[in-house]
Amino acid sequence: MLQFKSRFPREVLLCRVGEFYESIGIDACILVEYAGLNPFGGLRSDSVPRAGCPIMNLRQTLDDLTRNGYSVCIVEEVQGPTQARARKGRFISGHAHPGSPYVFGLVCGDHDLDFPEPMPVVGISRSARGYCINLVLETMKTFSSEDGLTEEALVTKLRTCRYHHLYLHTSLRNNSSGTCRWGEFGEGGLLWGECSARQFEWFGGNPVNELLLKVKELYGLNDEVTFRNVTLSSENRPQPLTLGTATQIGAIPTEGIPCLLKVLLPSNCTGLPVLYMRDLLLNPPDYEIASAIQATCKLMSNVTCSIPEFTCISSSKLVKLLEQREANHIEFCKIKNVLDEILHMYKNSELKEILKLLMDPTWVATGLKIDFETLVTECEWASGRIGEMISLDGESDKKISSSSVIPSDFFEDMESSWKGRVKKIHIEEEFAEVQRAAEALSLAVTEDFLPIISRIKASTAPFGGSKGEILYAREHEAVWFKGKRFTPSVWAGTPGEEQIKQIKPASDSRGRKVGEEWYTTWKVEDALTRYHEAGAKAKLKVLELLRGLSSELQSKINILVFASMLLIVAKALFAHVSEGRRRKWVFPTLAKSHGSEDVKPFDGAYGMKIIGLSPYWFDVAEGSAVHNTVDMQSLFLLTGPNGGGKSSLLRSICAASLLGICGFMVPAESALIPQFDSIMLHMKSYDSPADGKSSFQVEMSEIRSIIAGTTKRSLVLIDEICRGTETAKGTCIAGSIIETLDKIGCLGIVSTHLHGIFTLPLNTKNMVYKAMGTVYVDGKTKPTWKLIDGICRESLAFETAKKEGMPETIIRRAEGLYLSVYAKEVLSGRNEREADLSNTSIYHSDESHLELSRIRQEAAFNRKKSTNQVEVLQKEVENAVTVICQKKLIELYKKKNISELAVVHCVLIDAREQPPPSTIGASSVYVMLRPDKKFYVGETDDLEGRVRAHRSKEGMQNASFIYFLVPGKSLACQLETLLINQLSNQGFQLTNVADGKHRNFGTSVPIESVPVSVCS
C-alpha cells in the first residue's frame, strides 16, 4: 500500500483486500470522518488507524469523499487463482476526483453512471490587460484562457465554477498601489476575500505552462500527455457578467431574487441544457453567434414536423468512458441515439437548416471547429459501426437458456451479465458452447436428481416424511438437490438406488460443506463447471468486443463530443422557444455595433427601444404584468416613489438586454437592442465585516469598477445611488458619477431618492429625466409603475411604512416632524408637482411593433417505404384520419359556399420524438398508436404535455402519435368524437370507444359555426 501512496500522496488510498477496500493512517481517519465508516483494529492508542468499506458500498464511499473535495486512488486485486501463501498482485484501477467519478468495471455492468459536471483546475494571474483565468479539465484534456477580466467578473466565474483545485499566480501580489499587501488598498480586495476563504496554492513562471505541469503532477499524468487549447477569442465578445449583475437578475440563483433561468426554460427541462443557458448568460456571445442563435430559434419556432428527443450526454463522460475503455452497451446505445438524432435532423428538410445554424454555437461551446459534411459523414460511420456491434432494443440476441428441470432464475442470473450486449453474430462459437453446456447440465440434473425425487414422492408418508426438490443456490451460483428430512439410504433393487449411491454433500468454492440439506453428484458438478467456464469465456469475449469498440471510437472522440454538445444546445434552444411562445415573448431586432469610436448613441443610431416591456418573472400569458416602453438614446436619471417600480424596471431592462444580446426571446411586444460590450447592474450593497468595509465602501468599490469598464457601447444600470452615506455629500458624489457616465456616452439608468441632485450645477449634455408615474385616487397618491418623462419628488415613504405595519403613533409623529422642518419645501414641491402633472398627464404609448421576419418552410420529409407492420398500421390510420376529417371539412366548406379544397395535414411523432414548438397554444386532434397496436383518440391545447403524460405510463414509453392542428377547441372536440366513432366502425381497435357515445362532448357550438382555416 505504501508504494501506491508514495505515487499519489495527495489522494486517499483505498486498497482491495478480499471483500473489503481498506485504508490506513490519515486516509483511514478521513474515511471515518467524511464517509461515516467504522475504524478497524480496536481502540489501542499505539495502533495504526485502519478503516474500510465492503465492496458493495464502494460507490457510496467514493461519492462521500469526492463530495467533500477529496481525490481517491483505488487499488484492485489481480483476479484468478494464486498459490498458497503467495502475495496477491495489485494494480491501480483508477481514480475518483470531484467531478470525475470512478469508472473501473462499468463495462461489465448493466447500469448507467451519473456523471457530475466536470471540475477544472483553476489558475488566476494578472496581466497588463487585467485579470486572467486559466481552466484545465483533466477529463477532457483541454485548457482555456480568458484575459482582460475585471475583478467582479473574475469573482463571478469563481462563484459559478465548482473547481477541483485553485492556484494563484505570484503576479497577483503586486497591486496598483505598488505594494505587496494584496487586497488592502481597494483593488483586489473582492478577489482576495473570495480566495482567502478557500484552499489555494501559489505558483510562478508562465501562467499557462506552469499550471499544466501542476495538473499533471496533481493527477499523476505522464509528461507525454497533451492538452488541447480550446480558448476562443474574446475580442468582439461582450464582457462577462459581474457578480452583482448576475445575482440581481437571478442568472446565479440568489435568495429573494427572481431566477432568470427558471423562466427561460420549461420546468421539465433540467441538467445539461440548463447549464448551457446559464453559461451563455454569464458569458454573452459575440454578435455573429447571437445572430445565429436567434436565427435558429426563429426556425425552431416555425417548424411543423416532429423533433427528436435530443439525447444529452456529458462530454466529459464520453471522453472518460471511451478513453478508459469502460463504455458498456447502455452507453453505446446512448451514443448511437445521439448520432442517429443528428442524422435524423440532416435528412429532414426543416431540421437540416436548424442543424446547419447550430454548428457555430456548438463550436463556441466546445472549441471544436468541424465541417458540416464531415460531421454528417462521421456520424453515419460511427452509428453504423455501433449498430453492427451492439445488440439494440427489439433484437432477438437476448434469449436466455431454459430447462424444464432447472430453475429459470439460474440461467437468468448467469447469462444476463453478457447476453444482449453485442450481436450474436460476433460470439456465435461462445454462444453455441454455452447452449451445449446448458443442455449438458440439464441432462445431468435430469439423470441424477429426478429419479431421487420420484423415489421420495413414492415413499413419502402423509405427514412428516422426506421431501426433495431441485433448487438454485444463488449465493454459490449452483443448482443442487435439496432434501428435507432426507437420508440417502439404499434399498436393493428399488428405483433411484444408483443415483442415491452417487450423491454427496454439496460444498462451496473453498471446499466447505454447505449445510445438511444440500446434495450434488460428480456428474452435475462437472456439468456446472463446464457451464460456468463457457459462460466466463463468453463474457470475456463480450467485454473484449466492447473495449475494442471503445478503442475504435477514440479516433472519433472530437466528433462525438461535438455531436453530443450540439444536441444539448438544440434541446436548450427548442425548450427556450417553447417557453417563450407560451409566455408570449418576442424576438428582438439586434443592432450590430461598428466600433466604439464611431458610435454616436445620441443620434438614434445606437439607441435601445423596447415596447411593451414586462418584468421577466411575470407571466404575460396570465395578464398580470404592467408593460412599459423604454426608448433610450442616452443616460436616464430616474426618480420615483418607494414601491413605484424603479428596481423592477432596472432588472427588467437588464434581463431583456442580456437575453437580446444572447440571441434569446425577450419579455416584450417588440424590441430593438444594440450589441452592448457590457451590461452592468448595481443594486443594493451590504457591508462586508470580513473585509472591514461598510456598505457605502462596498458600493463605491463596485461603482468604481463599473466606471472603469464602461464605454460608449455599455449599458449601465445603478439603483438608488449613494444611499449609504450622509445626504449632502452623497448627493454630490452621485452628481459627479452621473456627469462621468454622461461624458462617456453610455446608455443606462441611474435611479435616486436624492432630490438635492436637481439643484446641483451638473455639466451634462445628454442626460434625460425620467420618473415612475403616480396617480391620485380618493385623495391618496398611488404608483402606476409606468415610466414617464419628468421628475417625481414624491417618495410615499409614510404610506410604505404604514403598509408594512409600522405603528400609527410613529407614523403621525414622523409626519409632524416632516412638516415642522420641511414645510416650505412641501409647499414648493406641491406646486412643482402640479406643474409636472399638467405637463405629463397624457401618456402616449408607442403601439407600433417592429417587424419580425418569419421563415416558414413546407415540410418535405420523405419517409422510405416500409414493410414493418407497425409502420403499415401507422399509414393506415393516417389515411383513415385524413379521409374522415377531410370529408367532414369539405361538407362544412360546401355549406359555407367556399370553393377551396380543405386539406388535413397529419404529422407523425415517432418513438423518441416530440411535438415542435409550433403546437404550443394551438388546438390539435391526435391518435396514439400504443405498443399493443391499439389506438387512443384525443384532443388537446397542450400537445407536448399530453404526449409526455401518455408516455409516462407503464409500457407506453415508445408510443407514437399522429396529429393535426385545427382552429379552435370546439372543432377539435367535434373531430375527436367523429374519429372515435368512425375509426372503431372501420375495424381499428380503440381503447376509448366509450367516449364516442357523447355526441358533442366538450362543446355546445355546432361544427358549422366554427371558422376553419384551409391548408391547400
Side-chain angles (χ1 to χ4, degrees):
M1 291 179 70
L2 294 179
Q3 63 177 348
F4 295 121
K5 184 65 178 178
S6 64
R7 290 178 57 188
F8 299 98
R10 293 172 177 262
E11 299 181 10
V12 175
L13 187 71
L14 276 178
C15 185
R16 174 79 174 268
V17 181
E19 300 300 313
F20 281 82
Y21 288 92
E22 295 186 6
S23 289
I24 61 173
I26 186 64
D27 292 347
C29 297
I30 293 173
L31 285 180
V32 173
E33 177 70 20
Y34 294 101
L37 302 179
N38 294 322
F40 295 161
L43 301 176
R44 287 181 53 186
S45 59
D46 59 343
S47 63
V48 177
R50 294 174 60 216
C53 70
I55 293 176
M56 66 184 71
N57 294 341
L58 176 63
R59 293 283 176 193
Q60 182 61 51
T61 301
L62 294 178
D63 288 345
D64 291 337
L65 293 174
T66 54
R67 193 183 304 115
N68 285 282
Y70 289 98
S71 295
V72 187
C73 175
I74 300 94
V75 177
E76 289 282 350
E77 291 179 341
V78 175
Q79 300 299 313
T82 56
Q83 296 180 355
R85 299 182 179 275
R87 177 179 296 179
K88 288 189 175 182
R90 289 183 171 86
F91 63 97
I92 295 177
S93 57
H95 303 263
H97 305 289
S100 179
Y102 179 61
V103 298
F104 178 78
L106 188 64
V107 67
C108 309
D110 56 358
H111 62 278
D112 194 9
L113 180 64
D114 290 332
F115 258 62
E117 184 181 2
M119 295 174 63
V121 173
V122 175
I124 299 174
S125 59
R126 185 79 184 272
S127 69
R129 294 184 59 196
Y131 290 99
C132 177
I133 184 170
N134 299 301
L135 304 175
V136 183
L137 280 172
E138 179 271 337
T139 306
M140 302 292 293
K141 302 297 185 293
T142 60
F143 73 93
S144 62
S145 299
E146 193 168 357
D147 203 353
L149 296 175
T150 64
E151 185 181 2
E152 285 75 11
L154 180 57
V155 172
T156 304
K157 288 184 176 292
L158 291 176
R159 290 275 179 94
T160 57
C161 171
R162 293 182 64 245
Y163 49 83
H164 181 203
H165 209 79
L166 177 63
Y167 290 94
L168 301 181
H169 195 262
T170 52
S171 58
L172 293 170
R173 287 177 170 161
N174 298 317
N175 61 22
S176 59
S177 303
T179 73
C180 293
R181 301 177 69 181
W182 180 34
E184 292 189 11
F185 297 91
E187 189 176 2
L190 182 63
L191 178 60
W192 173 247
E194 182 71 20
C195 296
S196 61
R198 304 170 183 243
Q199 290 185 343
F200 65 87
E201 293 182 27
W202 291 100
F203 76 113
N206 183 286
V208 175
N209 295 337
E210 289 299 322
L211 183 63
L212 292 177
L213 291 176
K214 292 285 185 183
V215 169
K216 291 181 180 180
E217 177 187 347
L218 183 66
Y219 291 98
L221 303 177
N222 297 326
D223 292 337
E224 294 76 19
V225 175
T226 59
F227 288 80
R228 180 169 55 89
N229 188 352
V230 294
T231 303
L232 295 173
S233 174
S234 58
E235 183 177 355
N236 297 317
R237 293 185 68 171
Q239 284 290 324
L241 293 194
T242 64
L243 180 62
T245 305
T247 54
Q248 287 299 326
I249 61 173
I252 299 176
T254 307
E255 186 178 358
I257 304 297
C259 183
L260 182 58
L261 279 173
K262 288 187 177 180
V263 300
L264 281 186
L265 301 171
S267 58
N268 64 330
C269 183
T270 58
L272 295 173
V274 177
L275 294 178
Y276 171 75
M277 298 292 278
R278 184 202 68 179
D279 291 342
L280 203 62
L281 291 175
L282 295 176
N283 303 278
D286 61 27
Y287 176 81
E288 284 71 22
I289 298 302
S291 299
I293 289 174
Q294 187 184 89
T296 304
C297 290
K298 286 181 176 179
L299 285 180
M300 289 175 170
S301 179
N302 297 324
V303 74
T304 58
C305 63
S306 60
I307 59 177
E309 285 189 345
F310 298 116
T311 303
C312 295
I313 306 178
S314 165
S315 298
S316 60
K317 180 179 184 178
L318 268 177
V319 172
K320 185 161 187 175
L321 291 181
L322 293 179
E323 185 182 75
Q324 299 194 12
R325 304 200 308 160
E326 291 291 345
N328 58 22
H329 65 293
I330 296 175
E331 207 59 42
F332 281 122
C333 286
K334 285 188 175 182
I335 295 173
K336 190 176 190 308
N337 288 342
V338 168
L339 302 170
D340 289 346
E341 287 168 5
I342 295 286
L343 297 175
H344 171 72
M345 295 180 71
Y346 176 74
K347 294 172 183 177
N348 182 292
S349 59
E350 285 187 280
L351 299 180
K352 184 177 181 179
E353 294 304 313
I354 293 175
L355 183 63
K356 288 181 179 179
L357 288 172
L358 286 170
M359 296 295 288
D360 283 344
T362 307
W363 159 56
V364 172
T366 61
L368 295 168
K369 192 73 172 178
I370 294 178
D371 178 70
F372 180 70
E373 294 300 330
T374 300
L375 172 67
V376 174
T377 302
E378 296 289 4
C379 284
E380 287 177 340
W381 180 88
S383 175
R385 188 69 191 94
I386 295 174
E388 291 171 3
M389 179 66 66
I390 301 299
S391 178
L392 306 174
D393 291 338
E395 296 182 347
S396 58
D397 294 341
K398 303 179 182 179
K399 186 178 179 181
I400 303 295
S401 302
S402 61
S403 169
S404 58
V405 295
I406 296 177
S408 59
D409 287 356
F410 171 75
F411 289 120
E412 179 71 28
D413 288 354
M414 296 301 104
E415 298 179 12
S416 61
S417 62
W418 58 271
K419 278 189 177 178
R421 282 155 171 72
V422 301
K423 292 189 184 299
K424 184 178 177 181
I425 190 174
H426 300 293
I427 51 171
E428 287 281 9
E429 183 178 342
E430 291 78 6
F431 209 101
E433 178 58 31
V434 170
Q435 188 63 35
R436 289 191 292 268
E439 293 172 355
L441 176 61
S442 178
L443 180 62
V445 169
T446 301
E447 292 179 348
D448 284 10
F449 292 163
L450 282 187
I452 299 176
I453 293 175
S454 300
R455 172 184 177 129
I456 290 175
K457 288 181 178 179
S459 60
T460 297
F463 301 101
S466 300
K467 293 183 179 179
E469 55 186 334
I470 301 168
L471 293 179
Y472 167 34
R474 191 181 303 272
E475 182 181 351
H476 303 283
E477 299 182 346
V479 176
W480 290 331
F481 169 76
K482 187 174 184 180
K484 294 182 178 180
R485 297 181 297 278
F486 168 74
T487 302
S489 55
V490 179
W491 300 300
T494 57
E497 180 179 350
E498 289 299 321
Q499 288 75 19
I500 289 179
K501 290 179 179 179
Q502 296 173 11
I503 65 172
K504 66 184 186 72
S507 57
D508 61 17
S509 58
R510 298 183 179 181
R512 296 176 300 189
K513 184 178 178 181
V514 181
E516 298 294 334
E517 299 179 338
W518 292 99
Y519 297 90
T520 185
T521 67
W522 289 112
K523 185 194 296 185
V524 171
E525 287 300 291
D526 290 343
L528 268 174
T529 301
R530 176 187 172 187
Y531 176 76
H532 283 310
E533 289 176 350
K537 185 178 179 182
K539 184 175 182 178
L540 191 63
K541 179 66 174 179
V542 168
L543 298 183
E544 179 185 332
L545 291 171
L546 291 174
R547 290 196 165 104
L549 184 57
S550 290
S551 299
E552 285 187 66
L553 292 181
Q554 283 181 23
S555 62
K556 309 295 181 184
I557 194 65
N558 286 349
I559 294 292
L560 298 180
V561 167
F562 191 91
S564 65
M565 191 66 214
L566 188 146
L567 291 190
I568 292 171
V569 176
K571 185 167 186 175
L573 297 186
F574 262 115
H576 168 62
V577 170
S578 298
E579 186 65 11
R581 285 176 63 103
R582 191 190 70 78
R583 290 178 174 268
K584 302 187 185 303
W585 290 8
V586 299
F587 291 106
T589 298
L590 300 181
K592 185 177 182 179
S593 63
H594 301 286
S596 59
E597 297 300 323
D598 301 327
V599 173
K600 296 180 180 179
F602 318 118
D603 61 6
Y606 197 68
M608 177 172 67
K609 188 171 185 179
I610 306 176
I611 300 174
L613 173 69
S614 64
Y616 63 86
W617 57 93
F618 284 176
D619 196 335
V620 178
E622 298 177 358
S624 59
V626 174
H627 298 258
N628 271 298
T629 292
V630 180
D631 191 353
M632 185 182 295
Q633 304 296 326
S634 63
L635 187 69
F636 289 176
L637 181 58
L638 179 64
T639 52
N642 289 301
K646 298 188 300 298
S647 300
S648 294
L649 181 66
L650 266 62
R651 277 198 181 95
S652 302
I653 293 174
C654 181
S657 303
L658 177 61
L659 293 175
I661 69 171
C662 289
F664 299 147
M665 302 175 77
V666 300
E669 295 171 5
S670 66
L672 170 65
I673 298 176
Q675 182 68 13
F676 295 110
D677 64 3
S678 61
I679 296 176
M680 292 173 280
L681 171 65
H682 171 77
M683 306 293 282
K684 57 188 176 182
S685 297
Y686 295 99
D687 63 340
S688 179
D691 299 325
K693 289 186 178 183
S694 67
S695 60
F696 183 66
Q697 284 180 291
V698 173
E699 180 184 9
M700 290 297 98
S701 176
E702 292 179 359
I703 293 180
R704 169 193 56 79
S705 179
I706 288 175
I707 293 174
T710 300
T711 70
K712 290 182 179 181
R713 299 194 298 116
S714 300
L715 176 65
V716 177
L717 304 164
I718 302 177
D719 189 33
E720 296 193 21
I721 189 170
C722 294
R723 73 172 83 187
T725 190
E726 182 261 319
T727 305
K729 293 180 181 179
T731 300
C732 295
I733 294 174
S736 181
I737 292 171
I738 291 169
E739 283 185 341
T740 303
L741 294 176
D742 181 78
K743 184 177 180 180
I744 292 173
C746 64
L747 300 184
I749 298 177
V750 177
S751 72
T752 183
H753 282 296
L754 301 174
H755 297 159
I757 204 167
F758 304 119
T759 62
L760 296 178
L762 296 181
N763 183 19
T764 59
K765 296 180 181 180
N766 308 291
M767 185 187 68
V768 176
Y769 291 107
K770 293 285 185 177
M772 301 306 296
T774 58
V775 293
Y776 289 94
V777 179
D778 298 330
K780 295 181 179 179
T781 303
K782 294 186 177 181
T784 63
W785 301 289
K786 283 283 190 179
L787 181 66
I788 60 175
D789 294 327
I791 298 172
C792 177
R793 298 178 184 272
E794 176 59 71
S795 69
L796 297 183
F798 298 144
E799 290 82 355
T800 302
K802 188 181 297 184
K803 181 180 177 181
E804 295 302 319
M806 187 66 72
E808 187 66 28
T809 54
I810 294 179
I811 301 296
R812 285 199 301 268
R813 175 57 178 161
E815 289 174 341
L817 291 172
Y818 181 73
L819 291 173
S820 66
V821 177
Y822 301 103
K824 293 182 180 180
E825 294 184 19
V826 171
L827 292 175
S828 62
R830 183 175 300 165
N831 294 331
E832 291 180 14
R833 183 170 63 248
E834 290 172 356
D836 290 341
L837 287 172
S838 66
N839 293 329
T840 61
S841 59
I842 300 176
Y843 176 72
H844 297 282
S845 63
D846 188 350
E847 298 296 336
S848 63
H849 290 259
L850 298 175
E851 294 185 0
L852 298 176
S853 61
R854 299 281 185 181
I855 302 174
R856 295 190 180 275
Q857 296 182 338
E858 293 295 328
F861 186 33
N862 298 319
R863 299 183 181 274
K864 296 180 179 179
K865 293 183 179 180
S866 175
T867 57
N868 185 280
Q869 187 177 2
V870 174
E871 292 181 355
V872 171
L873 203 55
Q874 284 177 349
K875 197 65 181 176
E876 288 178 356
V877 74
E878 180 180 344
N879 292 337
V881 168
T882 302
V883 171
I884 293 169
C885 294
Q886 186 168 308
K887 181 178 178 181
K888 187 66 179 177
L889 291 177
I890 290 174
E891 291 177 4
L892 173 61
Y893 275 82
K894 286 181 178 179
K895 290 181 180 180
K896 290 191 172 186
N897 296 320
I898 298 177
S899 59
E900 295 182 19
L901 177 62
V903 177
V904 175
H905 179 60
C906 290
V907 179
L908 173 67
I909 304 174
D910 215 337
R912 297 186 60 252
E913 293 181 358
Q914 53 188 328
S918 57
T919 60
I920 293 175
S923 297
S924 62
V925 180
Y926 67 90
V927 180
M928 177 176 70
L929 174 56
R930 295 155 47 104
D932 59 5
K933 299 176 185 176
K934 294 181 181 180
F935 297 93
Y936 178 93
V937 179
E939 62 80 26
T940 181
D941 287 341
D942 179 17
L943 185 60
E944 182 186 4
R946 188 65 63 87
V947 169
R948 188 167 60 247
H950 280 302
R951 286 177 173 168
S952 65
K953 296 178 181 178
E954 185 176 358
M956 296 292 113
Q957 291 80 4
N958 293 322
S960 58
F961 297 78
I962 295 169
Y963 78 91
F964 60 94
L965 300 180
V966 295
K969 190 173 184 67
S970 298
L971 179 58
C973 291
Q974 293 283 341
L975 293 178
E976 177 194 28
T977 305
L978 180 67
L979 283 175
I980 291 174
N981 292 323
Q982 293 289 336
L983 289 177
S984 60
N985 291 340
Q986 292 186 20
F988 292 99
Q989 296 186 40
L990 267 62
T991 60
N992 59 333
V993 177
D995 293 341
K997 297 178 181 179
H998 307 288
R999 295 298 303 165
N1000 289 312
F1001 66 97
T1003 178
S1004 59
V1005 182
I1007 191 170
E1008 289 79 4
S1009 67
V1010 180
V1012 180
S1013 61
V1014 178
C1015 177
S1016 58

